[in-house]
Amino acid sequence: MSLVNNIEFLRHLPKMNAFNGLGALAPAVPTPLVETTEFGTNPGALKMFSYVPEQLARSPALVVVLHGCGQTAASYDLGAGWSTLAKHYGFALLMPEQQSANNANTCFNWFDPEDTARGQGEAASIREMVGHIAGAHKIDPRRIFVTGLSAGGAMATVMLATYPDVFAAGAIIAGLPFGVAGNLREALGAMMQGSALSAPELGDLVRKASTHKGEWPRISVWHGSADRTVHPGNADAVVRQWLDLHGLPLAAMSKADVDGHPREVWWNADGETLVESYSITDMAHGTPLGLAGNDERYGVEGAFLIEAGISSSYHIASFFGLTDKVRQPQIAPTGVPRENADTISMTIPVPADKPEPATGRSSGRPGKKQAKQQGKPRSNGVNVSRVITRALTAAGLMKQP
């Protein structure tokens, strides 16, 4: 059967995952999610599910979570544990759901121009949901985030590209960069091979998606190194796309192991992480699960929900700035995030006792002047605390003091 015939076969075959025909539609599961039927215009004909804990944090945040093909909002929430995280940390959760009438495999249509343009289709429906829940629960407009798996991850890049003024940050799990496909055939090609476009070319695809001139959202990228459904090269392409938007170099500023998996980091002159990338060693297509930094376990294993020794949901929530119960490493000063503690596998340099130049190029965010060095000048001894602080800053493990 030719590639074209295969594409048409996948397009019309019901109850099959369009990502290489993997998996079946998820069965109904018990869920704390509540459906809202009236939330504004709905040009993409999506369903709206949400969870708002009884006690929201001060300046409450909102996380939009987009499921993968063959999944429902409830099944993905059960597997990834987002409603449990929302309850623990007091943020609101929005989980749009695809309908089989729109896509027989319940994939978000991340490759369809009618659904991926600002103000149109599924992208506009999700934006309407965000506006509805944000208004109803007084969500801090500076604390709205989006994440997703697979087709949901690709749709998350759509939301970041078309509504960069809405989202402060996003996390892409086994997804694809924005704009690399305009139809199903191109989508399958991108999934199998990744994108060969340069960083500026990928960045231009996002810049053309809106008239946005302000700061770009921060982004966290996750991908299994053994993924045969969406080629891991797509993770590299997503990273290149957002490095270009932030004006950052292609070479990572820090490389370390977190819970046994490689993580690369890029930050701005203020020490704020703008782009990070996790390569989950030997993991296939799915969302990585594991014990979180607070010794809790979020989610349960299932189709495309894979035990990998690292809790992606928890680390993503931490990247979004939603977790405040983080543990400190024994050797580090107060303020080092748990995501970088205990499992770091790298050599920390000990720099000379002099101010460091700002690392990286401007990200387009309002810059701050280099902070003055703290502590007394050293005489015969070494200011150990300052050396450690500066070393961790140079490694990208904490913000500059």
Side-chain angles (χ1 to χ4, degrees), residues 189-278:
M191 286 161 50
M192 291 185 290
Q193 300 177 7
S195 175
L197 294 176
S198 68
E201 290 171 328
L202 289 165
D204 284 343
L205 294 174
V206 176
R207 281 184 281 267
K208 293 175 182 178
S210 73
T211 59
H212 182 66
K213 301 300 180 183
E215 301 175 8
W216 294 101
R218 300 181 300 115
I219 194 164
S220 178
V221 181
W222 295 70
H223 216 111
S225 67
D227 192 334
R228 295 184 179 180
T229 301
V230 178
H231 193 281
N234 283 288
D236 296 333
V238 174
V239 169
R240 292 200 307 274
Q241 188 167 62
W242 289 87
L243 288 177
D244 182 73
L245 293 168
H246 284 291
L248 293 170
L250 292 178
M253 296 174 177
S254 173
K255 295 183 179 181
D257 281 353
V258 178
D259 293 342
H261 301 284
R263 174 181 181 246
E264 296 184 329
V265 185
W266 292 258
W267 63 89
N268 62 12
D270 298 324
E272 180 185 21
T273 297
L274 300 182
V275 179
E276 68 173 10
S277 178
Y278 286 83

Side-chain angles (χ1 to χ4, degrees), residues 255-262 340-348 397:
K255 295 183 179 181
D257 281 353
V258 178
D259 293 342
H261 301 284
N340 299 313
D342 301 332
T343 54
I344 299 302
S345 175
M346 64 181 295
T347 300
I348 299 177
L397 305 182

Side-chain angles (χ1 to χ4, degrees), residues 69-393:
C69 297
Q71 296 174 325
T72 64
S75 67
Y76 189 62
D77 176 48
L78 175 67
W82 275 102
S83 61
T84 304
L85 276 162
K87 183 178 181 180
H88 282 183
Y89 296 107
F91 60 85
L93 178 66
L94 168 63
M95 299 195 69
E97 183 177 285
Q98 182 61 284
Q99 299 194 74
S100 57
N102 300 329
N103 185 296
N105 310 308
T106 66
C107 308
F108 288 102
N109 289 305
W110 59 272
F111 50 83
D112 190 336
E114 294 182 357
D115 286 304
T116 59
R118 185 180 176 104
Q120 296 184 31
E122 293 175 11
S125 292
I126 295 169
R127 175 64 183 92
E128 286 288 309
M129 296 178 196
V130 169
H132 178 84
I133 193 171
H137 298 283
K138 299 181 180 179
I139 298 298
D140 186 337
R142 301 165 299 178
R143 305 185 72 204
I144 300 176
F145 311 96
V146 62
T147 183
L149 164 67
S150 195
M155 196 67 191
T157 65
V158 169
M159 298 310 298
L160 292 170
T162 55
Y163 294 99
D165 51 323
V166 172
F167 297 98
I172 314 304
I173 305 174
L176 298 96
F178 172 77
V180 295
N183 54 53
L184 185 56
R185 180 175 183 174
E186 293 176 358
L188 291 172
M191 286 161 50
M192 291 185 290
Q193 300 177 7
S195 175
L197 294 176
S198 68
E201 290 171 328
L202 289 165
D204 284 343
L205 294 174
V206 176
R207 281 184 281 267
K208 293 175 182 178
S210 73
T211 59
H212 182 66
K213 301 300 180 183
E215 301 175 8
W216 294 101
R218 300 181 300 115
I219 194 164
S220 178
V221 181
W222 295 70
H223 216 111
S225 67
D227 192 334
R228 295 184 179 180
T229 301
V230 178
H231 193 281
N234 283 288
D236 296 333
V238 174
V239 169
R240 292 200 307 274
Q241 188 167 62
W242 289 87
L243 288 177
D244 182 73
L245 293 168
H246 284 291
L248 293 170
L250 292 178
M253 296 174 177
S254 173
K255 295 183 179 181
D257 281 353
V258 178
D259 293 342
H261 301 284
R263 174 181 181 246
E264 296 184 329
V265 185
W266 292 258
W267 63 89
N268 62 12
D270 298 324
E272 180 185 21
T273 297
L274 300 182
V275 179
E276 68 173 10
S277 178
Y278 286 83
S279 177
I280 309 304
T281 307
D282 296 328
M283 194 186 81
H285 187 67
T287 293
L289 307 178
L291 193 66
N294 57 358
D295 293 327
E296 295 281 349
R297 184 172 292 276
Y298 299 100
V300 295
E301 289 183 74
F304 311 113
L305 294 150
I306 303 170
E307 174 58 43
I310 184 169
S311 175
S312 58
S313 297
Y314 177 82
H315 281 286
I316 289 168
S318 181
F319 177 77
F320 291 162
L322 303 179
T323 58
D324 54 7
K325 298 176 182 178
V326 292
R327 298 186 299 180
Q328 311 300 331
Q330 294 180 355
I331 64 167
T334 301
V336 181
R338 166 63 179 88
E339 61 175 298
N340 299 313
D342 301 332
T343 54
I344 299 302
S345 175
M346 64 181 295
T347 300
I348 299 177
V350 180
D353 189 23
K354 61 182 180 180
E356 295 181 346
T359 306
R361 299 197 294 269
S362 171
S363 67
R365 292 175 178 258
K368 297 179 182 177
K369 293 183 179 180
Q370 184 78 11
K372 294 182 178 180
Q373 299 296 323
Q374 303 296 319
K376 297 179 180 180
R378 112 180 133 172
S379 53
N380 296 329
V382 177
N383 188 329
V384 176
S385 178
R386 187 165 67 177
V387 170
I388 292 174
T389 300
R390 199 172 295 139
L392 290 170
T393 301

